[in-house]
Amino acid sequence: MSGGREAILQSIRSRRLVQSPKPQPYSAPKTEGDLAEAFAQRLSFWQTDVRMLDSMADVPAAVADVLRGKNMAQRVHIAPDSALALDLPGIEVLREPPGQNDAAVTEVPFAIAETGTLAYPAGKGRPASWHFRPVLEIAVLRASDVVPELEDVLKRLGGVLPSTLNLVSGPSRTGDIEQTMELGAHGPKSLAVLVVKS
Amino acid sequence: MTAKPRVGLFVTCLVDLVRPQVGFAAVKLLEQAGCQVEVPAAQTCCGQPAWNAGADAHAVDIARQTIAAFEGFDHVVVPSGSCGGMIKRHYPEVFEKDEAWLARARALAAKTHELMSFLVKVRGMSGVTAQFAKTVCVHDSCSSLREMGVKAEPRALLGSVSGLTIDELKDQQTCCGFGGLFSVKYPEISERMADDKIADALSTKATVLTGGDLGCLLHLKGRMARQGKALEVRHAAEILADMGGEPALGEP
Amino acid sequence: MNLDPRNFQQAAREALNDPLLRPALGRMKTHFGAGRAAAVARYGDFEALREAGKAIRDYAVTHLDELLTQFERSVVARGGTVHWARDAAEARDLILGILRDAGAKTVTKGKSMVTEEIALNPFLEANGIVPVETDLGEYIVQLRHEPPSHIIAPAFHLSKEQVAETFFASHTDLDPKRSLVERNALVQEARAVLRRSFESADAGITGANFLSAKEGAAVIVTNEGNGDLTRLLPKMHIVVTGIEKVVADMNDVAVLLRLLPRSATGQPISTYVSVMAGRRGADESDGPQAFHVVLVDNGRSKLIGTEAQDVLRCIRCSACINHCPIYGAIGGHAYGATYMGPIGAALNPGVMGVENAAHHANASTFCGRCAEVCPVKIPLPRIMRHWRAVEHSKGLAPRSITAGLGVWAFAAKRPGLYRLGASVMAWFLRMMGRRGTVHALPVMQGWFAVRDFPVPQGRTFQAQWKARRQNAAERIGLEGGNSRSRQQR
Ligand code: SF4
């Protein structure tokens, strides 16, 4: 097997080439104004139900309301070991992975204002597949965790990536049939984001 | 008064053969713009057919001949974005590995211009004295658009022609399907592209299709003639030089 | 279905006559073209972004050995394995070996053009392993035994009725009376059927849009989320991708991520971007337990240092394809190759051989739209022209073309002879022309196949110019005027 490795590296090295210099750092246009507002506005554009809440105390009612709005049972999946300390009166909470018609409530460590993107580094209590299994994902985000751009997420992760880092900007979609957008291709058909201001 | 700039007119092989009037129109416009125009006899074609076919040796010989014939002028003006693009953008590529000729190719490229952009940008012409009481649509050739950066100039000049109205094509970016030898090698694809362009032109209020590149115009007129579609086709220089009364392309 | 690039002309003719293809191409052009234009207009300085993307990719392509070995070290440090495949056959064998070692029987697949390039699916099937494509478009064309017709919209050429037919024929365990009239019904059916595949697959294979050397990560962008289920649900994840996909680090990826979806579909970011670095961590409850990356050369490394090197910068966004008028007329299948349109025309002759893919490089008007929209500024027409020059110098160009060019060039190098020839030609065409145009000639048959040729106006410009100057000179002689009178008129 190492035959291929050496042969390919040899083939690369044998070419006469002019090496291009290390690129200058790029600086993207900066998001103006309030980061959480910009985030909310951009993500809303992508068929996402973004709600601004004053405090964590408002989360249970919002979860119940989102479920009602989708005509779904008052039942959600929350990952075991999730850092979300939620008391959800009247809502059944299951700890096993959600099926394709279930709802999941997830914790969002960071979000990106530039593109309206949720950033989920996988880890304890944050199983990556949960962002793709359910039909409805309700994501809980603190406004103070909205950063300007992806580079800031990388910085906050301290240069060490988790095994999976998922960036999510809206519900699953496809344009594969007649170039017409349909939601819920494989991942969630609906995404709701509860942005908690304090 | 400063001396008149000496302009070498690169006629282009298609104008020479099919539409000499475009050459005379160019001379007239350049003289109106205060230039002293000469037409070197040592010119033939810019060599683009050879270069685009990958026949590099032929392209080198022809490019050398053109450079030698034109490098003495203050400006080289071409009534075609395509042939102009060959000289301006591709001659330096032709001589990429030949330093002596590369320098000459670059020097020539630097002073080579498409006719209408030369009139407007270099000579500051803002209008012409001409009559043409028809509605026209303007076809931008790909080389005019993307190699020579010409788009506003033909419209500015045409807009000054008395009686003329412009009704634009919906799609001003897409190629008409000429592409030199492409039109001969892949006729059916070229045909589809022409038909799309012609449909676009017919959907405007224009009775005349004009543009700055005779190649595209021959292709589009040839296709329309085959189908019996009756748009008048003529090079923009003819209209600007008040020669719009002559029979149009492909008309007896 | 054309599977041979040498049949391009015939296949193109058939495509032009396909009544269903035209509306599909129309939708594709408006959808992607308008989307990109709007996204570019909304972004601040897109030109600066393109320059940055180009610089990042140029650095990578000229430091491939360093970056690939660094990538390998990073993957190994995270418990993964990197495999190197010189060509398609070696890649297939490697992948089969990995799957056999794991006892895998079924694999789900995220979209990967490299696995198309190495024809992985038929090989796996022949060896008793069932590959299931999970990108909706790929899934549809897989069921139909067709290759993708576009690198990011594999089934764009099909109508929803054709997709419904395909599902009725394939999903035979479902109620034959169900309604598949709505697009969403099709999407939901595929979702349900494929979810079972995800849950039962022994391994998942994805491609990679980028590899990040420093972090040992593979990055994919999708809108459906199928790539993630492919990675996350089975026990093993295999990434199959080209060696040129590597860049220095995630900051470089972040820049390229601003270019890729905008250029492709006009989205500022794709719905999902997944950064996949190795196997599941110790404290994680899901994700693959084994992680492999298969790096495929297959003709890429030999392009480094050549006139075609720039094509390795490609990030497979499809913008060049979406804006190509040739592709816009004939679609993707006519190319008979995995990569179609301008990127195919610039890449295929290099990796498949000029003798096989010469049509791809020749079927271009050099209109330049592709290079204008390419996010990493690849001079695509210039590279196509390079392949034409290779074809010409190897004597592979069609005789009819080279012979004609030879005669023409002989004259074009001799202005006196040329002027004479042009005069004869002008006279001849005028003799042949009836009512303004010539309908047919025994030469240039391609021209006359679809169009007439407008008859020359009169004598050539050069002939008329000479006569005019002689007249002027005679007049001057008679009048004794000065030699500048011509300009003074
Ligand atoms: S060549 Fe450029 S435009 Fe075409 S797919 Fe590659 S990156 Fe995109």
Side-chain angles (χ1 to χ4, degrees):
Chain A
M1 230 165 271
S2 67
R5 181 182 193 278
E6 291 320 311
I8 292 170
L9 288 172
Q10 182 48 38
S11 170
I12 293 169
R13 286 172 187 146
S14 69
R15 309 290 148 185
R16 66 185 161 80
L17 89 171
V18 187
Q19 291 201 326
S20 299
K22 186 88 191 133
Q24 296 293 316
Y26 174 76
S27 151
K30 295 288 169 260
T31 300
E32 311 274 330
D34 183 73
L35 291 179
E37 288 293 341
F39 160 84
Q41 189 226 323
R42 287 176 187 158
L43 184 53
S44 301
F45 183 77
W46 297 105
Q47 294 82 28
T48 301
D49 179 1
V50 185
R51 303 183 183 198
M52 302 302 250
L53 306 182
D54 286 331
S55 77
M56 283 301 279
D58 299 326
V59 170
V63 169
D65 190 60
V66 171
L67 290 169
R68 259 194 310 277
K70 295 284 163 200
N71 282 322
M72 291 179 68
Q74 295 287 315
R75 183 170 60 233
V76 298
H77 293 247
I78 299 181
D81 305 322
S82 169
L84 277 178
L86 284 181
D87 183 18
L88 297 173
I91 299 178
E92 183 185 359
V93 175
L94 302 172
R95 294 291 176 171
E96 77 256 15
Q100 60 170 315
N101 298 315
D102 298 332
V105 178
T106 60
E107 170 222 353
V108 191
F110 310 106
I112 300 168
E114 182 187 337
T115 44
T117 299
L118 306 168
Y120 295 110
K124 188 172 161 69
R126 292 195 305 265
S129 73
W130 285 48
H131 310 300
F132 304 92
R133 292 174 186 265
V135 74
L136 165 66
E137 177 175 18
I138 304 172
V140 183
L141 166 71
R142 281 185 188 276
S144 55
D145 289 326
V146 181
V147 298
E149 55 186 25
L150 175 56
E151 284 83 343
D152 297 296
V153 173
L154 298 171
K155 246 178 258 157
R156 295 228 184 164
L157 291 172
V160 189
L161 287 182
S163 68
T164 305
L165 169 63
N166 289 115
L167 306 179
V168 177
S169 311
S172 163
R173 69 192 63 228
T174 182
D176 274 354
I177 302 176
E178 297 184 338
Q179 306 285 290
T180 306
M181 208 251 295
E182 295 291 340
L183 295 179
H186 286 289
K189 198 170 182 174
S190 309
L191 174 65
V193 181
L194 311 180
V195 185
V196 181
K197 288 196 199 143
S198 61
Chain B
M1 199 185 108
T2 51
K4 288 181 173 182
R6 283 179 67 233
V7 168
L9 179 68
F10 187 85
V11 181
T12 81
C13 54
L14 290 178
V15 165
D16 180 51
L17 176 69
V18 186
R19 201 67 184 165
Q21 181 175 286
V22 175
F24 289 109
V27 172
K28 183 172 170 187
L29 290 164
L30 288 166
E31 288 180 350
Q32 284 173 355
C35 303
Q36 179 190 329
V37 186
E38 293 178 36
V39 184
Q43 60 178 303
T44 59
C45 163
C46 63
Q48 193 194 66
W51 179 245
N52 282 359
D56 295 8
H58 291 323
V60 165
D61 290 345
I62 298 169
R64 282 189 181 151
Q65 173 179 292
T66 311
I67 293 170
F70 282 89
E71 61 193 345
F73 291 97
D74 297 328
H75 304 283
V76 179
V77 172
V78 193
S80 156
S82 175
C83 315
M86 180 67 199
I87 298 173
K88 199 171 182 67
R89 303 286 166 221
H90 302 296
Y91 276 13
E93 291 173 11
V94 171
F95 297 107
E96 214 157 45
K97 291 178 188 117
D98 179 344
E99 272 192 36
W101 277 97
L102 178 58
R104 294 172 72 177
R106 284 200 179 132
L108 188 72
K111 56 187 175 189
T112 297
H113 307 269
E114 185 275 336
L115 171 67
M116 290 179 277
S117 69
F118 178 77
L119 294 173
V120 174
K121 281 205 189 126
V122 180
R123 299 305 298 166
M125 192 186 254
S126 57
V128 293
T129 315
Q131 289 261 349
F132 195 70
K134 292 179 178 174
T135 301
V136 307
C137 58
V138 184
H139 168 60
D140 298 288
S141 77
C142 298
S143 16
S144 281
L145 274 182
R146 286 180 273 271
E147 293 187 332
M148 305 301 276
V150 179
K151 178 145 197 212
E153 298 87 343
R155 290 169 174 79
L157 294 178
L158 285 167
S160 74
V161 171
S162 144
L164 183 148
T165 312
I166 299 178
D167 191 18
E168 296 281 10
L169 298 171
K170 270 190 285 303
D171 182 351
Q172 299 178 20
Q173 293 281 343
T174 302
C175 178
C176 68
F178 171 56
L181 277 179
F182 172 86
S183 62
V184 178
K185 287 205 265 186
Y186 301 96
E188 298 89 353
I189 303 175
S190 173
E191 170 191 10
R192 171 62 54 81
M193 293 161 71
D195 286 352
D196 287 350
K197 189 60 73 186
I198 292 166
D200 193 348
L202 290 172
S203 76
T204 68
K205 294 194 191 72
T207 55
V208 179
L209 171 76
T210 189
D213 270 84
L214 195 57
C216 312
L217 300 179
L218 284 172
H219 157 74
L220 291 170
K221 180 65 203 181
R223 178 66 191 155
M224 284 194 257
R226 178 64 56 94
Q227 295 177 300
K229 297 208 167 121
L231 267 188
E232 177 181 331
V233 177
R234 59 171 80 241
H235 194 286
E238 301 173 25
I239 299 174
L240 298 177
D242 207 16
M243 298 175 176
E246 299 291 321
L249 208 54
E251 282 169 16
Chain C
M1 208 54 51
N2 180 26
L3 298 173
D4 183 346
R6 290 168 303 178
N7 287 342
F8 175 83
Q9 276 171 305
Q10 180 54 33
R13 259 174 234 131
E14 284 162 20
L16 286 164
N17 289 323
D18 177 346
L20 289 176
L21 188 57
R22 255 195 119 168
L25 284 164
R27 281 195 299 268
M28 197 271 304
K29 277 184 273 185
T30 18
H31 183 74
F32 286 150
R36 176 191 176 276
V40 169
R42 266 198 299 271
Y43 195 81
D45 187 349
F46 199 70
E47 213 29 51
L49 180 59
R50 287 174 81 206
E51 281 298 338
K54 171 179 184 287
I56 286 168
R57 294 295 297 138
D58 263 337
Y59 178 84
V61 167
T62 57
H63 294 78
L64 268 192
D65 54 338
E66 268 171 51
L67 294 179
L68 287 171
T69 48
Q70 186 190 9
F71 174 76
E72 182 181 46
R73 285 194 301 277
S74 310
V75 169
V76 169
R78 307 193 65 123
T81 312
V82 174
H83 310 259
W84 306 66
R86 273 169 286 200
D87 54 25
E90 194 163 56
R92 291 190 297 259
D93 287 339
L94 276 168
I95 296 164
L96 180 64
I98 299 167
L99 292 171
R100 285 232 166 109
D101 286 349
K105 287 271 171 286
T106 64
V107 284
T108 40
K109 287 187 68 210
K111 222 175 88 54
S112 148
M113 293 314 286
V114 175
T115 62
E116 295 287 343
E117 175 187 333
I118 64 172
L120 182 63
N121 286 359
F123 177 78
L124 291 182
E125 280 163 15
N127 285 282
I129 293 176
V130 181
V132 181
E133 294 291 347
T134 63
D135 170 84
L136 180 58
E138 285 282 342
Y139 176 64
I140 295 166
V141 293
Q142 186 189 29
L143 293 180
R144 296 171 63 90
H145 308 287
E146 286 178 14
S149 60
H150 187 281
I151 62 172
I152 69 163
F156 90 88
H157 59 289
L158 299 170
S159 67
K160 67 182 196 302
E161 290 75 23
Q162 287 172 299
V163 177
E165 259 169 52
T166 306
F167 281 8
F168 278 122
S170 307
H171 302 157
T172 46
D173 54 339
L174 298 178
D175 179 3
K177 293 201 193 69
R178 68 197 186 280
S179 168
L180 289 181
V181 175
E182 301 294 324
R183 271 183 293 266
N184 198 259
L186 297 165
V187 173
Q188 294 315 314
E189 179 162 315
R191 173 191 173 96
V193 169
L194 286 169
R195 187 60 71 95
R196 278 182 268 150
S197 302
F198 283 124
E199 278 162 357
S200 61
D202 301 310
I205 296 178
T206 67
N209 292 93
F210 308 107
L211 300 174
S212 176
K214 183 164 159 243
E215 297 86 354
V219 180
I220 58 171
V221 304
T222 77
N223 279 329
E224 299 181 2
N226 64 308
D228 298 279
L229 291 168
T230 301
R231 164 178 166 83
L232 295 169
L233 298 196
K235 283 206 276 298
M236 172 185 279
H237 178 202
I238 306 173
V239 175
V240 182
T241 195
I243 54 170
E244 85 286 11
K245 290 285 171 63
V246 73
V247 295
D249 59 27
M250 279 302 297
N251 283 315
D252 283 354
V253 171
V255 177
L256 295 170
L257 281 172
R258 294 184 174 94
L259 278 174
L260 175 59
R262 283 187 175 89
S263 302
T265 57
Q267 293 167 277
I269 189 167
S270 56
T271 305
Y272 300 114
V273 175
S274 307
V275 183
M276 311 177 300
R279 58 188 187 197
R280 93 164 55 153
D283 54 357
E284 287 174 54
S285 61
D286 68 0
Q289 287 150 26
F291 182 69
H292 295 267
V293 180
V294 179
L295 299 172
V296 181
D297 183 342
N298 206 28
R300 289 163 170 79
S301 65
K302 70 173 187 231
L303 299 179
I304 301 171
T306 71
E307 307 236 24
Q309 171 180 303
D310 289 344
V311 79
L312 296 174
R313 286 205 296 270
C314 176
I315 58 173
R316 301 286 191 271
C317 70
S318 83
C320 58
I321 300 174
N322 304 336
H323 292 81
C324 175
I326 313 297
Y327 181 92
I330 62 174
H333 283 154
Y335 289 81
T338 303
Y339 306 105
M340 57 289 285
I343 177 59
L347 179 66
N348 297 340
V351 296
M352 306 171 90
V354 171
E355 61 284 9
N356 292 313
H359 276 306
H360 298 170
N362 278 291
S364 166
T365 60
F366 288 169
C367 78
R369 191 88 169 101
C370 51
E372 187 179 52
V373 297
C374 175
V376 287
K377 301 189 129 180
I378 300 174
L380 293 153
R382 192 189 157 126
I383 297 171
M384 293 175 216
R385 202 211 70 85
H386 164 69
W387 296 125
R388 295 183 190 182
V390 171
E391 183 196 26
H392 194 270
S393 68
K394 285 188 174 173
L396 296 167
R399 281 279 305 146
S400 58
I401 299 288
T402 49
L405 263 180
V407 172
W408 165 85
F410 184 86
K413 293 174 198 176
R414 291 164 181 78
L417 175 65
Y418 184 89
R419 283 196 298 276
L420 181 66
S423 290
V424 172
M425 182 69 90
W427 170 82
F428 174 72
L429 288 169
R430 286 204 312 279
M431 298 313 292
M432 296 296 296
R434 294 280 172 274
R435 277 185 257 109
T437 58
V438 180
H439 298 299
L441 284 183
V443 293
M444 299 235 300
Q445 286 168 5
W447 179 279
F448 291 104
V450 299
R451 32 180 135 53
D452 295 347
F453 192 88
V455 162
Q457 227 177 356
R459 289 190 298 149
T460 65
F461 176 83
Q462 290 283 11
Q464 294 189 45
W465 179 255
K466 193 173 160 201
R468 194 162 124 168
R469 296 205 56 183
Q470 269 166 1
N471 286 344
E474 278 162 23
R475 236 187 357 260
I476 292 159
L478 287 173
E479 293 164 4
N482 72 59
S483 65
R484 305 209 25 110
S485 68
R486 184 170 57 83
Q487 277 83 31
Q488 287 165 356
R489 262 186 288 137

